[in-house]
Amino acid sequence: MTTTQIIDDLRLAADALRQGLLVAFPTETVYGLGADATNPIAIQRLFAAKGRPSDNPLIVHLGEVGQLSQAALSVSPTAWQLLDRFSPGPITVVVEKCSNVLDSVTAGLSSVGVRIPDQSQAQELLRLVNRPVAAPSANLSGLPSCTTWQSVLEDFNGKIDYVVKGEVSRIGIESTVVDCTRSQPVLLRAGAVTLEQLRTLLPNIICWNDRVRENSASQLVVPSSPGLRHAHYQPKANVRLVLSMQEALQYVQKQESAVAYFGLVPDDSMNQQSSEDGISFGGMKFELFQQFSSIEEYARRFYELLREADRREIREIFLQLVPDVAIGRALRDRQLRAAGKEGPSN
Ligand code: TXA
Ligand code: MG
């Protein structure tokens, strides 16, 4: 078993990555589990530690635009537009891969997803490494992503070498992924850079899902983010999607076990009473209860609340579906996946 150390020394973390060790680090979206994308043994260990299927490509992280040639053979004009406007930030552009980056990193694809995080420790670390760093979200495959170093440790203690201690991730949902390798850009995964923002820059962008719907019998439907095929973001608890608090209450009245509810503050606040270990509505008690005043705040707290529900062995989580606009599109996608349903971008 490996000893996992929690550190804040970025030089030590960078040296470890250069030596082929596994280092988790904070980013503005979620924590990433880093490994040198040019080191086959490190990448093999990374897939094993996560329990990640080898057909799911990893995103390569860089500290700055100047490092792009370490991962990309060529950067299309569309990718440049996105990088200029949104990078560093929560965007991943899929571009042509250079030979530096191992085939195992991209699951044999000739393209590579590249991201420059907008988080000071991540940027500094990646600059110090000065190599492409493959970093999937730092969670065991299939479980909710981690937005705190404590959650990373929960999943990987004894399996990886270091965890860089940082703040809670500011955004809380993974980056927006855009395939820029074809004539028409394709949104593969919704994230904090919203479809509305993307459209102002790239009016011809299509969503992978739309394309599937429109061309369901067509050969054109090859692209895709292979990761979307796999189960994702699922807590152990049973997740039920509801449109309102009232709908959740109908189910709660029928059951005895501990339940959780995460939603938005309703326009017409109900008569609610706090209690020591939860909150009550008309005699019904929720073990864990959160209503957020914005979708951004809901997104930021989402994964950690799913994990907290599992820690408390809550049997059932009610999620109020958020509207499919702005960052709501990304959160709604993760809500559907948490419930074991395929998201709108799948
Ligand atoms: O915000 C994020 O993107 C986080 C942080 C750590 O940066 N990382 C992350 O990585 O979410 P991961 O491995 O959990 O998700 C990567 C997604 C998967 O859906 C994968 O299929 C897709 O990106 N992807 C990666 N490379 C690709 C490629 N060459 N073509 C298509 N999709 C790709
Ligand atoms: Mg992930």
Side-chain angles (χ1 to χ4, degrees):
M1 191 158 129
T2 313
T3 307
T4 307
Q5 290 181 59
I6 301 154
I7 54 169
D8 49 23
D9 181 345
L10 297 176
R11 287 193 177 277
L12 177 61
D15 286 344
L17 281 166
R18 291 177 66 90
Q19 284 162 28
L21 300 181
L22 301 184
V23 179
F25 58 94
T27 86
E28 79 281 26
T29 56
V30 298
Y31 274 66
L33 177 56
D36 178 353
T38 68
N39 181 327
I41 296 164
I43 296 302
Q44 197 181 20
R45 225 184 120 209
L46 173 59
F47 274 97
K50 258 192 80 96
R52 179 160 174 131
S54 59
D55 64 348
N56 191 358
L58 309 173
I59 294 175
V60 165
H61 292 62
L62 302 170
E64 55 196 23
V65 171
Q67 287 180 264
L68 266 175
S69 61
Q70 295 176 0
L73 186 65
S74 70
V75 178
S76 61
T78 310
W80 272 124
Q81 271 181 288
L82 291 175
L83 291 170
D84 273 351
R85 173 75 180 77
F86 300 113
S87 214
I91 187 129
T92 296
V93 293
V94 175
V95 295
E96 222 183 310
K97 158 183 123 56
C98 76
S99 57
N100 241 12
V101 172
L102 293 164
D103 286 340
S104 55
V105 167
T106 61
L109 297 174
S110 58
S111 62
V112 61
V114 179
R115 177 164 119 76
I116 303 169
D118 183 19
Q119 203 274 4
S120 56
Q121 290 163 291
Q123 262 181 31
E124 175 68 14
L125 172 64
L126 293 163
R127 283 197 188 116
L128 288 169
V129 178
N130 197 25
R131 278 185 205 171
V133 172
S137 52
N139 54 279
L140 292 177
S141 202
L143 290 188
S145 302
C146 295
T147 55
T148 67
W149 64 265
Q150 292 93 334
S151 289
V152 174
L153 204 59
E154 207 170 59
D155 278 16
F156 291 108
N157 196 13
K159 297 194 178 107
I160 65 173
D161 303 291
Y162 294 102
V163 178
V164 174
K165 190 174 174 178
E167 298 286 304
V168 176
S169 296
R170 174 167 58 80
I171 293 172
I173 297 262
E174 303 85 348
S175 63
T176 304
V177 181
V178 182
D179 184 352
C180 303
T181 61
R182 43 199 86 239
S183 53
Q184 203 172 5
V186 185
L187 173 64
L188 295 177
R189 182 174 72 182
V193 172
T194 66
L195 181 59
E196 292 82 349
Q197 284 175 303
L198 293 170
R199 277 193 179 130
T200 59
L201 199 66
L202 309 170
N204 66 337
I205 192 166
I206 51 171
C207 302
W208 183 47
N209 193 47
D210 296 345
R211 189 171 178 144
V212 170
R213 259 195 234 119
E214 284 158 23
N215 302 287
S216 52
S218 149
Q219 290 292 321
L220 280 173
V221 194
V222 199
S224 90
S225 210
L228 300 180
R229 285 200 298 268
H230 302 284
H232 263 95
Y233 324 120
Q234 283 181 312
K236 293 189 208 89
N238 182 40
V239 174
R240 212 187 262 269
L241 304 172
V242 292
L243 293 175
S244 66
M245 178 70 211
Q246 282 81 354
E247 193 185 335
L249 279 175
Q250 288 169 12
Y251 293 112
V252 176
Q253 282 163 14
K254 292 184 203 133
Q255 62 166 31
E256 311 263 291
S257 58
V259 295
Y261 176 88
F262 310 134
L264 294 167
V265 173
D267 298 335
D268 54 334
S269 260
M270 291 175 68
N271 177 25
Q272 62 187 57
Q273 302 155 1
S274 293
S275 66
E276 285 251 306
D277 45 359
I279 193 158
S280 296
F281 281 96
M284 292 300 137
K285 203 172 88 187
F286 289 85
E287 167 82 16
L288 199 51
F289 182 91
Q290 289 285 336
Q291 284 181 328
F292 302 100
S293 52
S294 71
I295 299 179
E296 283 77 9
E297 185 62 16
Y298 193 167
R300 186 176 306 135
R301 303 277 309 281
F302 180 66
Y303 284 134
E304 189 53 31
L305 283 170
L306 294 183
R307 286 181 164 264
E308 182 58 22
D310 277 350
R311 282 177 206 124
R312 296 193 195 190
E313 298 185 337
I314 283 174
R315 286 264 310 280
E316 186 134 57
I317 303 172
F318 293 93
L319 297 178
Q320 183 188 19
L321 265 177
V322 296
D324 202 4
V325 291
I327 197 179
R329 187 181 183 92
L331 177 56
R332 192 179 163 104
D333 170 71
R334 307 317 190 264
Q335 290 182 313
L336 289 160
R337 288 168 192 284
K341 316 237 186 309
E342 288 182 337
S345 65
N346 191 6

